[in-house]
mmCIF file with all atom_site columns, all heavy atoms in Angstrom:
data_model
loop_
_atom_site.group_PDB
_atom_site.id
_atom_site.type_symbol
_atom_site.label_atom_id
_atom_site.label_alt_id
_atom_site.label_comp_id
_atom_site.label_asym_id
_atom_site.label_entity_id
_atom_site.label_seq_id
_atom_site.pdbx_PDB_ins_code
_atom_site.Cartn_x
_atom_site.Cartn_y
_atom_site.Cartn_z
_atom_site.occupancy
_atom_site.B_iso_or_equiv
_atom_site.pdbx_formal_charge
_atom_site.auth_seq_id
_atom_site.auth_comp_id
_atom_site.auth_asym_id
_atom_site.auth_atom_id
_atom_site.pdbx_PDB_model_num
ATOM 1   N N   . GLY A 1 225 ? 60.338 -71.973 -80.560  1.00 0.00 ? 225 GLY A N   1
ATOM 2   C CA  . GLY A 1 225 ? 61.116 -72.136 -81.780  1.00 0.00 ? 225 GLY A CA  1
ATOM 3   C C   . GLY A 1 225 ? 60.755 -73.398 -82.550  1.00 0.00 ? 225 GLY A C   1
ATOM 4   O O   . GLY A 1 225 ? 60.677 -73.395 -83.778  1.00 0.00 ? 225 GLY A O   1
ATOM 5   N N   . THR A 1 226 ? 60.511 -74.488 -81.832  1.00 0.00 ? 226 THR A N   1
ATOM 6   C CA  . THR A 1 226 ? 60.153 -75.748 -82.480  1.00 0.00 ? 226 THR A CA  1
ATOM 7   C C   . THR A 1 226 ? 58.803 -75.652 -83.167  1.00 0.00 ? 226 THR A C   1
ATOM 8   O O   . THR A 1 226 ? 58.625 -76.126 -84.296  1.00 0.00 ? 226 THR A O   1
ATOM 9   C CB  . THR A 1 226 ? 60.139 -76.892 -81.447  1.00 0.00 ? 226 THR A CB  1
ATOM 10  O OG1 . THR A 1 226 ? 61.415 -76.957 -80.799  1.00 0.00 ? 226 THR A OG1 1
ATOM 11  C CG2 . THR A 1 226 ? 59.847 -78.220 -82.116  1.00 0.00 ? 226 THR A CG2 1
ATOM 12  N N   . LEU A 1 227 ? 57.835 -75.025 -82.506  1.00 0.00 ? 227 LEU A N   1
ATOM 13  C CA  . LEU A 1 227 ? 56.508 -74.859 -83.108  1.00 0.00 ? 227 LEU A CA  1
ATOM 14  C C   . LEU A 1 227 ? 56.561 -73.898 -84.291  1.00 0.00 ? 227 LEU A C   1
ATOM 15  O O   . LEU A 1 227 ? 55.830 -74.075 -85.274  1.00 0.00 ? 227 LEU A O   1
ATOM 16  C CB  . LEU A 1 227 ? 55.522 -74.364 -82.058  1.00 0.00 ? 227 LEU A CB  1
ATOM 17  C CG  . LEU A 1 227 ? 55.105 -75.420 -81.030  1.00 0.00 ? 227 LEU A CG  1
ATOM 18  C CD1 . LEU A 1 227 ? 54.425 -74.782 -79.828  1.00 0.00 ? 227 LEU A CD1 1
ATOM 19  C CD2 . LEU A 1 227 ? 54.176 -76.449 -81.673  1.00 0.00 ? 227 LEU A CD2 1
ATOM 20  N N   . ALA A 1 228 ? 57.427 -72.884 -84.217  1.00 0.00 ? 228 ALA A N   1
ATOM 21  C CA  . ALA A 1 228 ? 57.618 -72.003 -85.364  1.00 0.00 ? 228 ALA A CA  1
ATOM 22  C C   . ALA A 1 228 ? 58.210 -72.784 -86.541  1.00 0.00 ? 228 ALA A C   1
ATOM 23  O O   . ALA A 1 228 ? 57.857 -72.547 -87.701  1.00 0.00 ? 228 ALA A O   1
ATOM 24  C CB  . ALA A 1 228 ? 58.531 -70.841 -84.983  1.00 0.00 ? 228 ALA A CB  1
ATOM 25  N N   . GLY A 1 229 ? 59.097 -73.730 -86.239  1.00 0.00 ? 229 GLY A N   1
ATOM 26  C CA  . GLY A 1 229 ? 59.642 -74.587 -87.280  1.00 0.00 ? 229 GLY A CA  1
ATOM 27  C C   . GLY A 1 229 ? 58.591 -75.481 -87.906  1.00 0.00 ? 229 GLY A C   1
ATOM 28  O O   . GLY A 1 229 ? 58.604 -75.734 -89.115  1.00 0.00 ? 229 GLY A O   1
ATOM 29  N N   . PHE A 1 230 ? 57.649 -75.959 -87.089  1.00 0.00 ? 230 PHE A N   1
ATOM 30  C CA  . PHE A 1 230 ? 56.535 -76.757 -87.610  1.00 0.00 ? 230 PHE A CA  1
ATOM 31  C C   . PHE A 1 230 ? 55.737 -75.934 -88.619  1.00 0.00 ? 230 PHE A C   1
ATOM 32  O O   . PHE A 1 230 ? 55.344 -76.436 -89.678  1.00 0.00 ? 230 PHE A O   1
ATOM 33  C CB  . PHE A 1 230 ? 55.655 -77.207 -86.450  1.00 0.00 ? 230 PHE A CB  1
ATOM 34  C CG  . PHE A 1 230 ? 54.473 -78.056 -86.854  1.00 0.00 ? 230 PHE A CG  1
ATOM 35  C CD1 . PHE A 1 230 ? 54.580 -78.997 -87.863  1.00 0.00 ? 230 PHE A CD1 1
ATOM 36  C CD2 . PHE A 1 230 ? 53.253 -77.906 -86.210  1.00 0.00 ? 230 PHE A CD2 1
ATOM 37  C CE1 . PHE A 1 230 ? 53.490 -79.788 -88.233  1.00 0.00 ? 230 PHE A CE1 1
ATOM 38  C CE2 . PHE A 1 230 ? 52.165 -78.682 -86.568  1.00 0.00 ? 230 PHE A CE2 1
ATOM 39  C CZ  . PHE A 1 230 ? 52.278 -79.627 -87.587  1.00 0.00 ? 230 PHE A CZ  1
ATOM 40  N N   . ALA A 1 231 ? 55.506 -74.658 -88.312  1.00 0.00 ? 231 ALA A N   1
ATOM 41  C CA  . ALA A 1 231 ? 54.803 -73.778 -89.247  1.00 0.00 ? 231 ALA A CA  1
ATOM 42  C C   . ALA A 1 231 ? 55.596 -73.631 -90.547  1.00 0.00 ? 231 ALA A C   1
ATOM 43  O O   . ALA A 1 231 ? 55.021 -73.631 -91.645  1.00 0.00 ? 231 ALA A O   1
ATOM 44  C CB  . ALA A 1 231 ? 54.576 -72.413 -88.601  1.00 0.00 ? 231 ALA A CB  1
ATOM 45  N N   . GLY A 1 232 ? 56.925 -73.517 -90.438  1.00 0.00 ? 232 GLY A N   1
ATOM 46  C CA  . GLY A 1 232 ? 57.758 -73.403 -91.625  1.00 0.00 ? 232 GLY A CA  1
ATOM 47  C C   . GLY A 1 232 ? 57.722 -74.650 -92.494  1.00 0.00 ? 232 GLY A C   1
ATOM 48  O O   . GLY A 1 232 ? 57.721 -74.565 -93.731  1.00 0.00 ? 232 GLY A O   1
ATOM 49  N N   . SER A 1 233 ? 57.676 -75.817 -91.867  1.00 0.00 ? 233 SER A N   1
ATOM 50  C CA  . SER A 1 233 ? 57.596 -77.068 -92.628  1.00 0.00 ? 233 SER A CA  1
ATOM 51  C C   . SER A 1 233 ? 56.269 -77.190 -93.364  1.00 0.00 ? 233 SER A C   1
ATOM 52  O O   . SER A 1 233 ? 56.230 -77.657 -94.511  1.00 0.00 ? 233 SER A O   1
ATOM 53  C CB  . SER A 1 233 ? 57.781 -78.256 -91.673  1.00 0.00 ? 233 SER A CB  1
ATOM 54  O OG  . SER A 1 233 ? 59.075 -78.261 -91.109  1.00 0.00 ? 233 SER A OG  1
ATOM 55  N N   . LEU A 1 234 ? 55.184 -76.779 -92.728  1.00 0.00 ? 234 LEU A N   1
ATOM 56  C CA  . LEU A 1 234 ? 53.876 -76.809 -93.391  1.00 0.00 ? 234 LEU A CA  1
ATOM 57  C C   . LEU A 1 234 ? 53.840 -75.820 -94.557  1.00 0.00 ? 234 LEU A C   1
ATOM 58  O O   . LEU A 1 234 ? 53.254 -76.106 -95.611  1.00 0.00 ? 234 LEU A O   1
ATOM 59  C CB  . LEU A 1 234 ? 52.771 -76.481 -92.392  1.00 0.00 ? 234 LEU A CB  1
ATOM 60  C CG  . LEU A 1 234 ? 52.443 -77.528 -91.330  1.00 0.00 ? 234 LEU A CG  1
ATOM 61  C CD1 . LEU A 1 234 ? 51.360 -77.007 -90.388  1.00 0.00 ? 234 LEU A CD1 1
ATOM 62  C CD2 . LEU A 1 234 ? 51.982 -78.841 -91.970  1.00 0.00 ? 234 LEU A CD2 1
ATOM 63  N N   . LYS A 1 235 ? 54.456 -74.672 -94.373  1.00 0.00 ? 235 LYS A N   1
ATOM 64  C CA  . LYS A 1 235 ? 54.435 -73.629 -95.403  1.00 0.00 ? 235 LYS A CA  1
ATOM 65  C C   . LYS A 1 235 ? 55.117 -74.090 -96.690  1.00 0.00 ? 235 LYS A C   1
ATOM 66  O O   . LYS A 1 235 ? 54.755 -73.644 -97.787  1.00 0.00 ? 235 LYS A O   1
ATOM 67  C CB  . LYS A 1 235 ? 55.104 -72.371 -94.867  1.00 0.00 ? 235 LYS A CB  1
ATOM 68  C CG  . LYS A 1 235 ? 55.048 -71.167 -95.791  1.00 0.00 ? 235 LYS A CG  1
ATOM 69  C CD  . LYS A 1 235 ? 55.648 -69.958 -95.129  1.00 0.00 ? 235 LYS A CD  1
ATOM 70  C CE  . LYS A 1 235 ? 55.639 -68.759 -96.071  1.00 0.00 ? 235 LYS A CE  1
ATOM 71  N NZ  . LYS A 1 235 ? 56.536 -68.959 -97.224  1.00 0.00 ? 235 LYS A NZ  1
ATOM 72  N N   . VAL A 1 236 ? 56.090 -74.984 -96.567  1.00 0.00 ? 236 VAL A N   1
ATOM 73  C CA  . VAL A 1 236 ? 56.794 -75.493 -97.744  1.00 0.00 ? 236 VAL A CA  1
ATOM 74  C C   . VAL A 1 236 ? 55.827 -76.175 -98.706  1.00 0.00 ? 236 VAL A C   1
ATOM 75  O O   . VAL A 1 236 ? 55.926 -76.027 -99.928  1.00 0.00 ? 236 VAL A O   1
ATOM 76  C CB  . VAL A 1 236 ? 57.901 -76.477 -97.301  1.00 0.00 ? 236 VAL A CB  1
ATOM 77  C CG1 . VAL A 1 236 ? 58.359 -77.344 -98.460  1.00 0.00 ? 236 VAL A CG1 1
ATOM 78  C CG2 . VAL A 1 236 ? 59.081 -75.706 -96.733  1.00 0.00 ? 236 VAL A CG2 1
ATOM 79  N N   . PHE A 1 237 ? 54.869 -76.913 -98.182  1.00 0.00 ? 237 PHE A N   1
ATOM 80  C CA  . PHE A 1 237 ? 53.910 -77.624 -99.028  1.00 0.00 ? 237 PHE A CA  1
ATOM 81  C C   . PHE A 1 237 ? 52.916 -76.670 -99.671  1.00 0.00 ? 237 PHE A C   1
ATOM 82  O O   . PHE A 1 237 ? 52.399 -76.941 -100.756 1.00 0.00 ? 237 PHE A O   1
ATOM 83  C CB  . PHE A 1 237 ? 53.157 -78.674 -98.205  1.00 0.00 ? 237 PHE A CB  1
ATOM 84  C CG  . PHE A 1 237 ? 54.029 -79.779 -97.704  1.00 0.00 ? 237 PHE A CG  1
ATOM 85  C CD1 . PHE A 1 237 ? 54.607 -79.719 -96.447  1.00 0.00 ? 237 PHE A CD1 1
ATOM 86  C CD2 . PHE A 1 237 ? 54.291 -80.886 -98.491  1.00 0.00 ? 237 PHE A CD2 1
ATOM 87  C CE1 . PHE A 1 237 ? 55.412 -80.734 -95.983  1.00 0.00 ? 237 PHE A CE1 1
ATOM 88  C CE2 . PHE A 1 237 ? 55.100 -81.921 -98.043  1.00 0.00 ? 237 PHE A CE2 1
ATOM 89  C CZ  . PHE A 1 237 ? 55.667 -81.837 -96.781  1.00 0.00 ? 237 PHE A CZ  1
ATOM 90  N N   . VAL A 1 238 ? 52.653 -75.562 -99.011  1.00 0.00 ? 238 VAL A N   1
ATOM 91  C CA  . VAL A 1 238 ? 51.707 -74.583 -99.555  1.00 0.00 ? 238 VAL A CA  1
ATOM 92  C C   . VAL A 1 238 ? 52.359 -73.771 -100.666 1.00 0.00 ? 238 VAL A C   1
ATOM 93  O O   . VAL A 1 238 ? 51.806 -73.633 -101.761 1.00 0.00 ? 238 VAL A O   1
ATOM 94  C CB  . VAL A 1 238 ? 51.197 -73.644 -98.442  1.00 0.00 ? 238 VAL A CB  1
ATOM 95  C CG1 . VAL A 1 238 ? 50.254 -72.600 -99.014  1.00 0.00 ? 238 VAL A CG1 1
ATOM 96  C CG2 . VAL A 1 238 ? 50.494 -74.448 -97.357  1.00 0.00 ? 238 VAL A CG2 1
ATOM 97  N N   . ALA A 1 239 ? 53.529 -73.219 -100.400 1.00 0.00 ? 239 ALA A N   1
ATOM 98  C CA  . ALA A 1 239 ? 54.207 -72.359 -101.373 1.00 0.00 ? 239 ALA A CA  1
ATOM 99  C C   . ALA A 1 239 ? 55.032 -73.141 -102.382 1.00 0.00 ? 239 ALA A C   1
ATOM 100 O O   . ALA A 1 239 ? 55.372 -72.609 -103.443 1.00 0.00 ? 239 ALA A O   1
ATOM 101 C CB  . ALA A 1 239 ? 55.105 -71.364 -100.650 1.00 0.00 ? 239 ALA A CB  1
ATOM 102 N N   . GLN A 1 240 ? 55.408 -74.395 -102.050 1.00 0.00 ? 240 GLN A N   1
ATOM 103 C CA  . GLN A 1 240 ? 56.261 -75.252 -102.877 1.00 0.00 ? 240 GLN A CA  1
ATOM 104 C C   . GLN A 1 240 ? 57.621 -74.603 -103.165 1.00 0.00 ? 240 GLN A C   1
ATOM 105 O O   . GLN A 1 240 ? 58.208 -74.817 -104.221 1.00 0.00 ? 240 GLN A O   1
ATOM 106 C CB  . GLN A 1 240 ? 55.568 -75.621 -104.188 1.00 0.00 ? 240 GLN A CB  1
ATOM 107 C CG  . GLN A 1 240 ? 54.460 -76.644 -104.012 1.00 0.00 ? 240 GLN A CG  1
ATOM 108 C CD  . GLN A 1 240 ? 53.945 -77.167 -105.334 1.00 0.00 ? 240 GLN A CD  1
ATOM 109 O OE1 . GLN A 1 240 ? 53.046 -76.578 -105.929 1.00 0.00 ? 240 GLN A OE1 1
ATOM 110 N NE2 . GLN A 1 240 ? 54.519 -78.257 -105.803 1.00 0.00 ? 240 GLN A NE2 1
ATOM 111 N N   . ASN A 1 241 ? 58.091 -73.804 -102.225 1.00 0.00 ? 241 ASN A N   1
ATOM 112 C CA  . ASN A 1 241 ? 59.429 -73.250 -102.329 1.00 0.00 ? 241 ASN A CA  1
ATOM 113 C C   . ASN A 1 241 ? 59.905 -72.849 -100.941 1.00 0.00 ? 241 ASN A C   1
ATOM 114 O O   . ASN A 1 241 ? 59.106 -72.691 -100.015 1.00 0.00 ? 241 ASN A O   1
ATOM 115 C CB  . ASN A 1 241 ? 59.476 -72.055 -103.292 1.00 0.00 ? 241 ASN A CB  1
ATOM 116 C CG  . ASN A 1 241 ? 58.740 -70.848 -102.746 1.00 0.00 ? 241 ASN A CG  1
ATOM 117 O OD1 . ASN A 1 241 ? 59.223 -70.167 -101.845 1.00 0.00 ? 241 ASN A OD1 1
ATOM 118 N ND2 . ASN A 1 241 ? 57.559 -70.585 -103.299 1.00 0.00 ? 241 ASN A ND2 1
ATOM 119 N N   . ALA A 1 242 ? 61.204 -72.697 -100.818 1.00 0.00 ? 242 ALA A N   1
ATOM 120 C CA  . ALA A 1 242 ? 61.819 -72.189 -99.585  1.00 0.00 ? 242 ALA A CA  1
ATOM 121 C C   . ALA A 1 242 ? 62.791 -71.105 -100.009 1.00 0.00 ? 242 ALA A C   1
ATOM 122 O O   . ALA A 1 242 ? 63.683 -71.350 -100.830 1.00 0.00 ? 242 ALA A O   1
ATOM 123 C CB  . ALA A 1 242 ? 62.545 -73.298 -98.837  1.00 0.00 ? 242 ALA A CB  1
#
Side-chain angles (χ1 to χ4, degrees):
T226 304
L227 287 165
F230 181 38
S233 295
L234 289 178
K235 185 176 178 293
V236 162
F237 294 93
V238 178
Q240 286 190 273
N241 69 74

